[in-house]
Amino acid sequence: SRPWLGKLCYCLGNSLHEKTKNKKKFRILVMIVAFVSVLLILVGVVGAAVSKRNGDPSNAATAASGDGGASQVGGGSGSDSGTAREQPTAAPTISPTSEPAPYIPGDLTVSKEGVLLSTGLDVRIIATSLERIRLADGTLTADKFHNRPDAGATFAIPRDYVELYDKYPGGYVYTSNAESSWDGGVGSIFFDGDHNVVDYKRVLSGATEWNCGGGKTPWQTWISCEEPMSYNRTGFIYEVDPFGRDTTPRRTVLGEGGGAYESFAYDVRDRSN
Protein backbone atom coordinates (compact mmCIF):
# COMPACT_ATOMS: atom_id res chain seq x y z
CA SER A 1 0.00 0.00 0.00
CA ARG A 2 3.12 2.26 0.21
CA PRO A 3 5.10 1.66 -3.05
CA TRP A 4 7.14 4.79 -2.52
CA LEU A 5 8.70 3.29 0.63
CA GLY A 6 10.02 0.34 -1.35
CA LYS A 7 11.55 2.65 -3.90
CA LEU A 8 13.11 4.72 -1.10
CA CYS A 9 14.66 1.65 0.48
CA TYR A 10 16.06 0.58 -2.87
CA CYS A 11 17.63 4.00 -3.52
CA LEU A 12 19.10 4.23 -0.03
CA GLY A 13 20.53 0.75 -0.35
CA ASN A 14 22.27 1.56 -3.62
CA SER A 15 23.61 4.80 -2.22
CA LEU A 16 24.97 3.13 0.89
CA HIS A 17 26.50 0.33 -1.13
CA GLU A 18 28.40 2.84 -3.21
CA LYS A 19 29.60 4.84 -0.20
CA THR A 20 30.80 1.99 1.95
CA LYS A 21 32.83 -1.10 1.27
CA ASN A 22 32.12 -2.56 4.70
CA LYS A 23 29.48 -5.23 4.06
CA LYS A 24 28.66 -5.56 7.74
CA LYS A 25 27.82 -1.86 8.10
CA PHE A 26 25.84 -2.04 4.87
CA ARG A 27 23.67 -4.87 6.14
CA ILE A 28 22.99 -3.04 9.41
CA LEU A 29 21.90 0.10 7.57
CA VAL A 30 19.60 -1.89 5.30
CA MET A 31 17.97 -3.54 8.31
CA ILE A 32 17.43 -0.15 9.98
CA VAL A 33 15.82 1.24 6.82
CA ALA A 34 13.57 -1.83 6.47
CA PHE A 35 12.47 -1.56 10.12
CA VAL A 36 11.64 2.12 9.74
CA SER A 37 9.69 1.37 6.54
CA VAL A 38 7.61 -1.34 8.22
CA LEU A 39 6.92 0.95 11.15
CA LEU A 40 5.76 3.73 8.85
CA ILE A 41 3.43 1.31 7.01
CA LEU A 42 1.83 0.15 10.28
CA VAL A 43 1.33 3.73 11.43
CA GLY A 44 -0.34 4.59 8.11
CA VAL A 45 -2.72 1.62 8.25
CA VAL A 46 -3.78 2.33 11.83
CA GLY A 47 -4.26 6.01 11.08
CA ALA A 48 -6.47 5.26 8.05
CA ALA A 49 -8.65 2.89 10.09
CA VAL A 50 -9.15 5.47 12.84
CA SER A 51 -9.94 8.18 10.29
CA LYS A 52 -12.54 6.01 8.52
CA ARG A 53 -14.23 5.09 11.79
CA ASN A 54 -14.53 8.70 12.91
CA GLY A 55 -15.36 10.40 9.61
CA ASP A 56 -17.04 7.99 7.17
CA PRO A 57 -20.74 8.95 6.78
CA SER A 58 -21.68 5.30 6.24
CA ASN A 59 -20.66 4.56 9.84
CA ALA A 60 -22.60 7.45 11.28
CA ALA A 61 -25.60 6.44 13.35
CA THR A 62 -28.78 8.31 14.06
CA ALA A 63 -30.74 8.18 17.25
CA ALA A 64 -34.21 9.52 17.88
CA SER A 65 -34.26 12.41 20.30
CA GLY A 66 -37.00 12.96 22.85
CA ASP A 67 -38.80 15.61 20.80
CA GLY A 68 -39.05 13.49 17.64
CA GLY A 69 -35.88 14.87 16.02
CA ALA A 70 -32.60 13.02 15.37
CA SER A 71 -29.14 13.42 16.89
CA GLN A 72 -26.01 12.36 14.94
CA VAL A 73 -23.53 9.98 16.50
CA GLY A 74 -20.02 9.28 15.22
CA GLY A 75 -20.01 11.44 12.11
CA GLY A 76 -21.06 14.94 13.05
CA SER A 77 -24.00 16.71 11.47
CA GLY A 78 -25.04 16.38 7.85
CA SER A 79 -23.82 19.90 7.14
CA ASP A 80 -20.34 19.03 8.49
CA SER A 81 -19.87 15.88 6.41
CA GLY A 82 -21.66 17.15 3.32
CA THR A 83 -23.87 14.05 3.24
CA ALA A 84 -27.64 14.18 3.89
CA ARG A 85 -28.82 12.09 6.82
CA GLU A 86 -31.99 10.00 6.70
CA GLN A 87 -34.67 11.35 8.98
CA PRO A 88 -36.80 9.10 11.20
CA THR A 89 -40.22 8.05 9.88
CA ALA A 90 -42.88 10.64 10.66
CA ALA A 91 -45.57 9.76 13.18
CA PRO A 92 -48.95 8.64 11.72
CA THR A 93 -51.19 11.57 10.81
CA ILE A 94 -54.27 9.78 12.17
CA SER A 95 -54.22 8.18 15.58
CA PRO A 96 -55.68 4.67 15.94
CA THR A 97 -59.33 4.76 16.93
CA SER A 98 -60.55 3.24 20.14
CA GLU A 99 -64.00 2.64 18.64
CA PRO A 100 -65.00 -0.87 17.53
CA ALA A 101 -64.51 -1.70 13.83
CA PRO A 102 -67.60 -0.68 11.81
CA TYR A 103 -67.41 -3.73 9.57
CA ILE A 104 -65.88 -7.15 10.29
CA PRO A 105 -66.10 -9.56 7.32
CA GLY A 106 -67.07 -13.07 8.34
CA ASP A 107 -68.10 -12.10 11.86
CA LEU A 108 -71.73 -13.19 11.42
CA THR A 109 -73.50 -11.42 14.27
CA VAL A 110 -76.46 -9.76 12.54
CA SER A 111 -79.63 -11.73 11.78
CA LYS A 112 -82.30 -9.77 9.96
CA GLU A 113 -85.02 -10.58 7.40
CA GLY A 114 -83.90 -14.21 7.39
CA VAL A 115 -80.36 -13.26 6.38
CA LEU A 116 -77.20 -13.73 8.50
CA LEU A 117 -74.80 -10.79 8.06
CA SER A 118 -71.32 -9.75 9.12
CA THR A 119 -70.92 -7.17 11.88
CA GLY A 120 -71.60 -3.67 10.55
CA LEU A 121 -73.90 -4.67 7.68
CA ASP A 122 -77.64 -4.14 7.32
CA VAL A 123 -80.35 -5.46 5.00
CA ARG A 124 -83.79 -4.32 3.87
CA ILE A 125 -86.38 -5.79 1.55
CA ILE A 126 -87.07 -3.46 -1.37
CA ALA A 127 -89.19 -5.73 -3.57
CA THR A 128 -91.11 -9.02 -3.46
CA SER A 129 -92.03 -11.11 -6.50
CA LEU A 130 -95.50 -10.43 -7.92
CA GLU A 131 -96.11 -7.54 -5.52
CA ARG A 132 -96.09 -3.80 -6.15
CA ILE A 133 -93.06 -1.96 -4.76
CA ARG A 134 -93.54 0.76 -2.16
CA LEU A 135 -91.69 3.90 -3.18
CA ALA A 136 -89.93 6.47 -1.01
CA ASP A 137 -92.93 8.82 -1.18
CA GLY A 138 -95.23 6.09 0.17
CA THR A 139 -96.99 5.27 -3.11
CA LEU A 140 -96.96 1.90 -4.89
CA THR A 141 -95.61 1.18 -8.36
CA ALA A 142 -98.02 0.56 -11.22
CA ASP A 143 -96.29 -2.69 -12.20
CA LYS A 144 -95.68 -5.66 -9.95
CA PHE A 145 -92.12 -6.77 -9.38
CA HIS A 146 -91.26 -9.61 -11.75
CA ASN A 147 -91.37 -13.26 -10.83
CA ARG A 148 -88.30 -15.34 -9.88
CA PRO A 149 -85.61 -12.60 -10.09
CA ASP A 150 -82.26 -13.98 -11.25
CA ALA A 151 -79.01 -12.41 -12.48
CA GLY A 152 -78.72 -8.64 -12.17
CA ALA A 153 -76.44 -5.60 -12.19
CA THR A 154 -76.49 -1.90 -11.30
CA PHE A 155 -76.16 1.00 -13.76
CA ALA A 156 -75.52 4.64 -12.91
CA ILE A 157 -77.98 7.04 -14.52
CA PRO A 158 -76.01 8.54 -17.44
CA ARG A 159 -75.64 12.28 -17.91
CA ASP A 160 -76.97 12.03 -21.46
CA TYR A 161 -80.29 10.84 -20.04
CA VAL A 162 -80.86 14.45 -19.02
CA GLU A 163 -84.47 14.15 -17.90
CA LEU A 164 -83.77 11.33 -15.46
CA TYR A 165 -80.31 12.55 -14.40
CA ASP A 166 -81.63 15.99 -13.46
CA LYS A 167 -84.48 14.41 -11.51
CA TYR A 168 -82.29 11.92 -9.61
CA PRO A 169 -78.67 13.14 -9.62
CA GLY A 170 -76.37 10.41 -8.41
CA GLY A 171 -79.12 7.85 -8.98
CA TYR A 172 -78.89 4.37 -10.46
CA VAL A 173 -80.97 1.33 -11.41
CA TYR A 174 -80.82 -2.31 -10.43
CA THR A 175 -81.69 -4.46 -13.44
CA SER A 176 -82.46 -8.18 -13.14
CA ASN A 177 -83.86 -11.10 -15.12
CA ALA A 178 -87.09 -12.99 -14.49
CA GLU A 179 -86.53 -16.73 -14.81
CA SER A 180 -90.17 -17.59 -15.34
CA SER A 181 -92.11 -19.40 -18.06
CA TRP A 182 -95.09 -17.01 -18.04
CA ASP A 183 -93.59 -13.83 -16.52
CA GLY A 184 -90.15 -13.78 -18.17
CA GLY A 185 -88.24 -10.68 -19.14
CA VAL A 186 -86.20 -8.00 -17.40
CA GLY A 187 -87.16 -5.34 -14.83
CA SER A 188 -85.35 -2.32 -13.37
CA ILE A 189 -85.71 -0.74 -9.91
CA PHE A 190 -84.79 2.97 -9.89
CA PHE A 191 -82.96 4.59 -6.96
CA ASP A 192 -82.12 8.21 -6.20
CA GLY A 193 -78.72 9.39 -4.94
CA ASP A 194 -79.71 8.55 -1.35
CA HIS A 195 -80.58 4.92 -2.23
CA ASN A 196 -84.33 5.45 -1.95
CA VAL A 197 -86.57 3.48 -4.33
CA VAL A 198 -88.27 5.94 -6.68
CA ASP A 199 -89.62 3.80 -9.57
CA TYR A 200 -89.87 0.38 -11.19
CA LYS A 201 -90.54 -0.63 -14.78
CA ARG A 202 -90.30 -3.64 -17.06
CA VAL A 203 -87.58 -3.04 -19.64
CA LEU A 204 -88.04 -6.34 -21.52
CA SER A 205 -91.23 -8.38 -21.65
CA GLY A 206 -93.50 -10.17 -24.05
CA ALA A 207 -91.81 -12.61 -26.41
CA THR A 208 -89.27 -13.86 -23.89
CA GLU A 209 -89.20 -16.33 -21.00
CA TRP A 210 -86.86 -18.26 -18.69
CA ASN A 211 -84.45 -15.31 -18.53
CA CYS A 212 -81.69 -16.83 -16.45
CA GLY A 213 -78.18 -15.36 -16.30
CA GLY A 214 -76.88 -12.33 -18.12
CA GLY A 215 -74.27 -9.63 -17.92
CA LYS A 216 -73.34 -5.97 -18.17
CA THR A 217 -71.66 -4.70 -21.34
CA PRO A 218 -68.86 -2.07 -21.42
CA TRP A 219 -71.29 0.30 -23.18
CA GLN A 220 -73.80 0.07 -20.31
CA THR A 221 -76.49 -2.24 -21.63
CA TRP A 222 -77.80 -5.46 -20.11
CA ILE A 223 -77.58 -8.87 -21.79
CA SER A 224 -80.38 -11.32 -20.89
CA CYS A 225 -80.00 -15.03 -21.67
CA GLU A 226 -82.96 -17.35 -22.12
CA GLU A 227 -82.57 -20.86 -20.73
CA PRO A 228 -85.79 -22.72 -21.58
CA MET A 229 -86.66 -25.68 -19.37
CA SER A 230 -88.50 -27.39 -22.24
CA TYR A 231 -87.19 -28.75 -25.53
CA ASN A 232 -90.27 -27.26 -27.18
CA ARG A 233 -88.86 -23.75 -26.72
CA THR A 234 -85.70 -22.30 -28.30
CA GLY A 235 -83.90 -19.66 -26.25
CA PHE A 236 -82.15 -16.53 -27.45
CA ILE A 237 -79.95 -13.75 -26.05
CA TYR A 238 -81.28 -10.20 -25.83
CA GLU A 239 -79.63 -6.82 -25.38
CA VAL A 240 -81.62 -4.44 -23.16
CA ASP A 241 -81.53 -0.75 -22.26
CA PRO A 242 -81.61 -0.90 -18.43
CA PHE A 243 -83.40 2.47 -18.24
CA GLY A 244 -86.29 1.44 -20.47
CA ARG A 245 -85.78 4.09 -23.11
CA ASP A 246 -86.12 1.37 -25.75
CA THR A 247 -88.13 -1.71 -24.79
CA THR A 248 -88.10 -3.34 -28.23
CA PRO A 249 -86.69 -6.90 -27.89
CA ARG A 250 -83.32 -7.01 -29.67
CA ARG A 251 -81.69 -10.37 -30.25
CA THR A 252 -77.90 -10.36 -30.31
CA VAL A 253 -75.65 -12.20 -32.76
CA LEU A 254 -74.61 -14.29 -29.77
CA GLY A 255 -76.71 -17.44 -29.85
CA GLU A 256 -78.50 -16.39 -33.00
CA GLY A 257 -79.05 -20.02 -33.87
CA GLY A 258 -81.09 -20.54 -30.70
CA GLY A 259 -80.52 -22.80 -27.72
CA ALA A 260 -80.43 -22.65 -23.93
CA TYR A 261 -78.08 -20.02 -22.51
CA GLU A 262 -76.97 -19.76 -18.92
CA SER A 263 -75.08 -16.47 -18.80
CA PHE A 264 -72.85 -13.92 -20.55
CA ALA A 265 -69.33 -12.47 -20.26
CA TYR A 266 -67.13 -10.30 -22.45
CA ASP A 267 -63.44 -9.93 -23.24
CA VAL A 268 -62.17 -6.37 -23.73
CA ARG A 269 -58.44 -7.02 -23.84
CA ASP A 270 -58.49 -5.93 -27.50
CA ARG A 271 -60.54 -2.74 -27.32
CA SER A 272 -60.11 -2.09 -31.05
CA ASN A 273 -62.20 -5.17 -31.86
Side-chain angles (χ1 to χ4, degrees):
S1 59
R2 295 290 189 274
W4 60 272
L5 288 176
K7 293 180 180 180
L8 176 62
C9 292
Y10 178 81
C11 294
L12 287 175
N14 286 340
S15 177
L16 289 172
H17 179 70
E18 294 294 331
K19 292 184 177 181
T20 179
K21 301 299 182 180
N22 191 323
K23 294 182 179 181
K24 183 176 181 180
K25 289 183 178 180
F26 174 73
R27 285 196 297 270
I28 293 173
L29 289 174
V30 170
M31 291 175 64
I32 292 173
V33 171
F35 175 77
V36 172
S37 299
V38 172
L39 183 62
L40 289 173
I41 291 173
L42 292 175
V43 170
V45 171
V46 173
V50 172
S51 175
K52 182 177 181 180
R53 181 178 180 182
N54 290 337
D56 190 344
S58 63
N59 293 325
T62 59
S65 63
D67 59 356
S71 59
Q72 305 296 330
V73 179
S77 66
S79 59
D80 293 338
S81 65
T83 303
R85 303 285 193 241
E86 292 185 4
Q87 297 300 318
T89 302
T93 56
I94 302 177
S95 300
T97 178
S98 59
E99 299 297 326
Y103 169 51
I104 306 176
D107 186 20
L108 304 177
T109 61
V110 180
S111 179
K112 187 176 179 181
E113 303 291 0
V115 179
L116 193 59
L117 303 169
S118 297
T119 300
L121 296 183
D122 196 4
V123 63
R124 61 172 173 151
I125 296 176
I126 59 176
T128 303
S129 290
L130 305 179
E131 294 183 9
R132 290 180 171 82
I133 301 174
R134 185 167 297 279
L135 304 180
D137 61 4
T139 62
L140 296 174
T141 58
D143 293 331
K144 294 180 180 179
F145 186 58
H146 51 268
N147 191 30
R148 293 172 56 89
D150 204 289
T154 56
F155 298 82
I157 297 174
R159 290 181 178 272
D160 61 2
Y161 192 174
V162 179
E163 179 184 354
L164 193 63
Y165 184 86
D166 289 345
K167 189 175 182 180
Y168 305 117
Y172 57 96
V173 300
Y174 173 68
T175 303
S176 62
N177 287 336
E179 192 173 17
S180 172
S181 62
W182 55 271
D183 189 41
V186 179
S188 290
I189 301 176
F190 291 70
F191 296 82
D192 63 17
D194 295 321
H195 315 294
N196 298 308
V197 179
V198 293
D199 199 4
Y200 168 77
K201 67 172 62 174
R202 296 297 291 265
V203 294
L204 177 66
S205 60
T208 183
E209 62 182 41
W210 294 111
N211 303 81
C212 185
K216 183 176 181 179
T217 69
W219 48 90
Q220 303 301 298
T221 59
W222 173 251
I223 300 296
S224 181
C225 300
E226 289 184 321
E227 188 184 22
M229 298 301 173
S230 170
Y231 291 106
N232 296 324
R233 171 72 161 85
T234 299
F236 294 96
I237 300 175
Y238 294 90
E239 184 175 16
V240 182
D241 174 18
F243 305 100
R245 290 171 290 187
D246 180 5
T247 58
T248 303
R250 291 183 297 169
R251 293 180 184 176
T252 69
V253 294
L254 299 172
E256 60 184 347
Y261 303 100
E262 173 65 30
S263 195
F264 162 86
Y266 59 84
D267 183 353
V268 293
R269 288 175 294 181
D270 181 6
R271 294 181 179 272
S272 64
N273 187 357

